PDB file of all heavy atoms in Angstrom:
ATOM      1  N   PHE A  77       7.684 -10.355  14.617  1.00  0.00           N
ATOM      2  CA  PHE A  77       6.921 -10.201  15.872  1.00  0.00           C
ATOM      3  C   PHE A  77       7.629 -10.893  17.042  1.00  0.00           C
ATOM      4  O   PHE A  77       7.640 -10.397  18.161  1.00  0.00           O
ATOM      5  CB  PHE A  77       5.519 -10.762  15.705  1.00  0.00           C
ATOM      6  CG  PHE A  77       4.638  -9.990  14.782  1.00  0.00           C
ATOM      7  CD1 PHE A  77       3.617 -10.617  14.078  1.00  0.00           C
ATOM      8  CD2 PHE A  77       4.808  -8.618  14.594  1.00  0.00           C
ATOM      9  CE1 PHE A  77       2.785  -9.909  13.231  1.00  0.00           C
ATOM     10  CE2 PHE A  77       3.999  -7.898  13.734  1.00  0.00           C
ATOM     11  CZ  PHE A  77       2.979  -8.538  13.052  1.00  0.00           C
ATOM     12  N   ARG A  78       8.220 -12.056  16.769  1.00  0.00           N
ATOM     13  CA  ARG A  78       8.962 -12.754  17.832  1.00  0.00           C
ATOM     14  C   ARG A  78      10.096 -11.901  18.356  1.00  0.00           C
ATOM     15  O   ARG A  78      10.307 -11.788  19.578  1.00  0.00           O
ATOM     16  CB  ARG A  78       9.501 -14.073  17.295  1.00  0.00           C
ATOM     17  CG  ARG A  78      10.327 -14.879  18.308  1.00  0.00           C
ATOM     18  CD  ARG A  78      11.250 -15.852  17.623  1.00  0.00           C
ATOM     19  NE  ARG A  78      12.208 -15.167  16.771  1.00  0.00           N
ATOM     20  CZ  ARG A  78      12.944 -15.773  15.827  1.00  0.00           C
ATOM     21  NH1 ARG A  78      12.800 -17.063  15.605  1.00  0.00           N
ATOM     22  NH2 ARG A  78      13.807 -15.092  15.099  1.00  0.00           N
ATOM     23  N   ASP A  79      10.826 -11.257  17.440  1.00  0.00           N
ATOM     24  CA  ASP A  79      11.971 -10.435  17.844  1.00  0.00           C
ATOM     25  C   ASP A  79      11.518  -9.269  18.729  1.00  0.00           C
ATOM     26  O   ASP A  79      12.207  -8.881  19.676  1.00  0.00           O
ATOM     27  CB  ASP A  79      12.703  -9.920  16.621  1.00  0.00           C
ATOM     28  CG  ASP A  79      13.380 -11.043  15.848  1.00  0.00           C
ATOM     29  OD1 ASP A  79      13.558 -12.141  16.405  1.00  0.00           O
ATOM     30  OD2 ASP A  79      13.731 -10.823  14.664  1.00  0.00           O
ATOM     31  N   ILE A  80      10.343  -8.689  18.402  1.00  0.00           N
ATOM     32  CA  ILE A  80       9.834  -7.606  19.225  1.00  0.00           C
ATOM     33  C   ILE A  80       9.394  -8.126  20.590  1.00  0.00           C
ATOM     34  O   ILE A  80       9.734  -7.578  21.647  1.00  0.00           O
ATOM     35  CB  ILE A  80       8.653  -6.883  18.515  1.00  0.00           C
ATOM     36  CG1 ILE A  80       9.146  -6.163  17.275  1.00  0.00           C
ATOM     37  CG2 ILE A  80       7.973  -5.904  19.473  1.00  0.00           C
ATOM     38  CD1 ILE A  80       8.045  -5.533  16.449  1.00  0.00           C
ATOM     39  N   ALA A  81       8.643  -9.228  20.578  1.00  0.00           N
ATOM     40  CA  ALA A  81       8.113  -9.779  21.830  1.00  0.00           C
ATOM     41  C   ALA A  81       9.217 -10.228  22.790  1.00  0.00           C
ATOM     42  O   ALA A  81       9.059 -10.136  24.007  1.00  0.00           O
ATOM     43  CB  ALA A  81       7.180 -10.941  21.528  1.00  0.00           C
ATOM     44  N   GLU A  82      10.335 -10.698  22.233  1.00  0.00           N
ATOM     45  CA  GLU A  82      11.425 -11.190  23.049  1.00  0.00           C
ATOM     46  C   GLU A  82      12.513 -10.155  23.276  1.00  0.00           C
ATOM     47  O   GLU A  82      13.533 -10.435  23.911  1.00  0.00           O
ATOM     48  CB  GLU A  82      12.024 -12.457  22.420  1.00  0.00           C
ATOM     49  CG  GLU A  82      11.046 -13.629  22.366  1.00  0.00           C
ATOM     50  CD  GLU A  82      11.648 -14.874  21.741  1.00  0.00           C
ATOM     51  OE1 GLU A  82      12.822 -14.807  21.280  1.00  0.00           O
ATOM     52  OE2 GLU A  82      10.956 -15.896  21.697  1.00  0.00           O
ATOM     53  N   GLY A  83      12.279  -8.954  22.762  1.00  0.00           N
ATOM     54  CA  GLY A  83      13.277  -7.894  22.902  1.00  0.00           C
ATOM     55  C   GLY A  83      13.236  -7.250  24.275  1.00  0.00           C
ATOM     56  O   GLY A  83      12.385  -7.565  25.106  1.00  0.00           O
ATOM     57  N   PRO A  84      14.131  -6.290  24.512  1.00  0.00           N
ATOM     58  CA  PRO A  84      14.230  -5.684  25.841  1.00  0.00           C
ATOM     59  C   PRO A  84      13.075  -4.749  26.186  1.00  0.00           C
ATOM     60  O   PRO A  84      12.758  -4.560  27.340  1.00  0.00           O
ATOM     61  CB  PRO A  84      15.539  -4.920  25.786  1.00  0.00           C
ATOM     62  CG  PRO A  84      15.740  -4.643  24.305  1.00  0.00           C
ATOM     63  CD  PRO A  84      15.182  -5.813  23.594  1.00  0.00           C
ATOM     64  N   GLU A  85      12.411  -4.170  25.152  1.00  0.00           N
ATOM     65  CA  GLU A  85      11.318  -3.233  25.392  1.00  0.00           C
ATOM     66  C   GLU A  85      10.162  -3.533  24.438  1.00  0.00           C
ATOM     67  O   GLU A  85       9.882  -2.754  23.523  1.00  0.00           O
ATOM     68  CB  GLU A  85      11.800  -1.790  25.192  1.00  0.00           C
ATOM     69  CG  GLU A  85      12.895  -1.337  26.144  1.00  0.00           C
ATOM     70  CD  GLU A  85      13.271   0.109  25.923  1.00  0.00           C
ATOM     71  OE1 GLU A  85      12.648   0.987  26.549  1.00  0.00           O
ATOM     72  OE2 GLU A  85      14.176   0.344  25.099  1.00  0.00           O
ATOM     73  N   PRO A  86       9.477  -4.641  24.642  1.00  0.00           N
ATOM     74  CA  PRO A  86       8.450  -5.039  23.672  1.00  0.00           C
ATOM     75  C   PRO A  86       7.300  -4.045  23.567  1.00  0.00           C
ATOM     76  O   PRO A  86       6.780  -3.845  22.460  1.00  0.00           O
ATOM     77  CB  PRO A  86       7.959  -6.393  24.215  1.00  0.00           C
ATOM     78  CG  PRO A  86       8.345  -6.410  25.661  1.00  0.00           C
ATOM     79  CD  PRO A  86       9.616  -5.616  25.728  1.00  0.00           C
ATOM     80  N   VAL A  87       6.902  -3.426  24.661  1.00  0.00           N
ATOM     81  CA  VAL A  87       5.775  -2.499  24.604  1.00  0.00           C
ATOM     82  C   VAL A  87       6.147  -1.267  23.776  1.00  0.00           C
ATOM     83  O   VAL A  87       5.400  -0.848  22.887  1.00  0.00           O
ATOM     84  CB  VAL A  87       5.333  -2.095  26.023  1.00  0.00           C
ATOM     85  CG1 VAL A  87       4.265  -1.002  25.953  1.00  0.00           C
ATOM     86  CG2 VAL A  87       4.798  -3.294  26.782  1.00  0.00           C
ATOM     87  N   ARG A  88       7.301  -0.710  24.068  1.00  0.00           N
ATOM     88  CA  ARG A  88       7.720   0.498  23.322  1.00  0.00           C
ATOM     89  C   ARG A  88       7.966   0.156  21.853  1.00  0.00           C
ATOM     90  O   ARG A  88       7.542   0.893  20.967  1.00  0.00           O
ATOM     91  CB  ARG A  88       8.985   1.082  23.939  1.00  0.00           C
ATOM     92  CG  ARG A  88       9.468   2.362  23.203  1.00  0.00           C
ATOM     93  CD  ARG A  88      10.844   2.819  23.664  1.00  0.00           C
ATOM     94  NE  ARG A  88      11.871   1.822  23.406  1.00  0.00           N
ATOM     95  CZ  ARG A  88      12.423   1.626  22.195  1.00  0.00           C
ATOM     96  NH1 ARG A  88      12.025   2.325  21.156  1.00  0.00           N
ATOM     97  NH2 ARG A  88      13.369   0.728  22.053  1.00  0.00           N
ATOM     98  N   GLN A  89       8.634  -0.976  21.595  1.00  0.00           N
ATOM     99  CA  GLN A  89       8.933  -1.342  20.205  1.00  0.00           C
ATOM    100  C   GLN A  89       7.644  -1.639  19.419  1.00  0.00           C
ATOM    101  O   GLN A  89       7.529  -1.275  18.254  1.00  0.00           O
ATOM    102  CB  GLN A  89       9.865  -2.535  20.158  1.00  0.00           C
ATOM    103  CG  GLN A  89      11.284  -2.213  20.605  1.00  0.00           C
ATOM    104  CD  GLN A  89      12.215  -3.411  20.462  1.00  0.00           C
ATOM    105  OE1 GLN A  89      11.900  -4.517  20.889  1.00  0.00           O
ATOM    106  NE2 GLN A  89      13.358  -3.194  19.863  1.00  0.00           N
ATOM    107  N   GLY A  90       6.690  -2.302  20.080  1.00  0.00           N
ATOM    108  CA  GLY A  90       5.423  -2.573  19.412  1.00  0.00           C
ATOM    109  C   GLY A  90       4.675  -1.296  19.097  1.00  0.00           C
ATOM    110  O   GLY A  90       4.155  -1.115  17.993  1.00  0.00           O
ATOM    111  N   ALA A  91       4.619  -0.377  20.071  1.00  0.00           N
ATOM    112  CA  ALA A  91       3.951   0.901  19.860  1.00  0.00           C
ATOM    113  C   ALA A  91       4.623   1.712  18.756  1.00  0.00           C
ATOM    114  O   ALA A  91       3.961   2.339  17.920  1.00  0.00           O
ATOM    115  CB  ALA A  91       3.897   1.687  21.156  1.00  0.00           C
ATOM    116  N   ASP A  92       5.948   1.674  18.736  1.00  0.00           N
ATOM    117  CA  ASP A  92       6.696   2.418  17.701  1.00  0.00           C
ATOM    118  C   ASP A  92       6.396   1.843  16.311  1.00  0.00           C
ATOM    119  O   ASP A  92       6.267   2.603  15.345  1.00  0.00           O
ATOM    120  CB  ASP A  92       8.204   2.354  17.976  1.00  0.00           C
ATOM    121  CG  ASP A  92       8.634   3.220  19.139  1.00  0.00           C
ATOM    122  OD1 ASP A  92       7.804   4.033  19.615  1.00  0.00           O
ATOM    123  OD2 ASP A  92       9.785   3.076  19.579  1.00  0.00           O
ATOM    124  N   LEU A  93       6.309   0.523  16.224  1.00  0.00           N
ATOM    125  CA  LEU A  93       5.996  -0.099  14.927  1.00  0.00           C
ATOM    126  C   LEU A  93       4.643   0.350  14.421  1.00  0.00           C
ATOM    127  O   LEU A  93       4.498   0.767  13.264  1.00  0.00           O
ATOM    128  CB  LEU A  93       6.017  -1.632  15.077  1.00  0.00           C
ATOM    129  CG  LEU A  93       5.521  -2.406  13.834  1.00  0.00           C
ATOM    130  CD1 LEU A  93       6.456  -2.203  12.651  1.00  0.00           C
ATOM    131  CD2 LEU A  93       5.361  -3.891  14.174  1.00  0.00           C
ATOM    132  N   TRP A  94       3.632   0.297  15.275  1.00  0.00           N
ATOM    133  CA  TRP A  94       2.291   0.677  14.821  1.00  0.00           C
ATOM    134  C   TRP A  94       2.217   2.167  14.493  1.00  0.00           C
ATOM    135  O   TRP A  94       1.502   2.555  13.547  1.00  0.00           O
ATOM    136  CB  TRP A  94       1.230   0.290  15.858  1.00  0.00           C
ATOM    137  CG  TRP A  94       1.225  -1.150  16.208  1.00  0.00           C
ATOM    138  CD1 TRP A  94       1.195  -1.697  17.458  1.00  0.00           C
ATOM    139  CD2 TRP A  94       1.271  -2.282  15.309  1.00  0.00           C
ATOM    140  NE1 TRP A  94       1.214  -3.068  17.385  1.00  0.00           N
ATOM    141  CE2 TRP A  94       1.257  -3.446  16.074  1.00  0.00           C
ATOM    142  CE3 TRP A  94       1.320  -2.390  13.920  1.00  0.00           C
ATOM    143  CZ2 TRP A  94       1.282  -4.725  15.531  1.00  0.00           C
ATOM    144  CZ3 TRP A  94       1.354  -3.653  13.351  1.00  0.00           C
ATOM    145  CH2 TRP A  94       1.342  -4.803  14.150  1.00  0.00           C
ATOM    146  N   THR A  95       2.945   2.978  15.231  1.00  0.00           N
ATOM    147  CA  THR A  95       2.977   4.418  14.909  1.00  0.00           C
ATOM    148  C   THR A  95       3.530   4.639  13.503  1.00  0.00           C
ATOM    149  O   THR A  95       2.976   5.420  12.716  1.00  0.00           O
ATOM    150  CB  THR A  95       3.823   5.181  15.950  1.00  0.00           C
ATOM    151  OG1 THR A  95       3.228   5.020  17.240  1.00  0.00           O
ATOM    152  CG2 THR A  95       3.909   6.649  15.602  1.00  0.00           C
TER     153      THR A  95
END
Side-chain angles (χ1 to χ4, degrees):
F77 291 151
R78 179 201 61 195
D79 293 343
I80 293 175
E82 295 180 357
E85 298 182 89
V87 173
R88 181 189 61 79
Q89 289 184 312
D92 287 349
L93 172 66
W94 303 133
T95 298

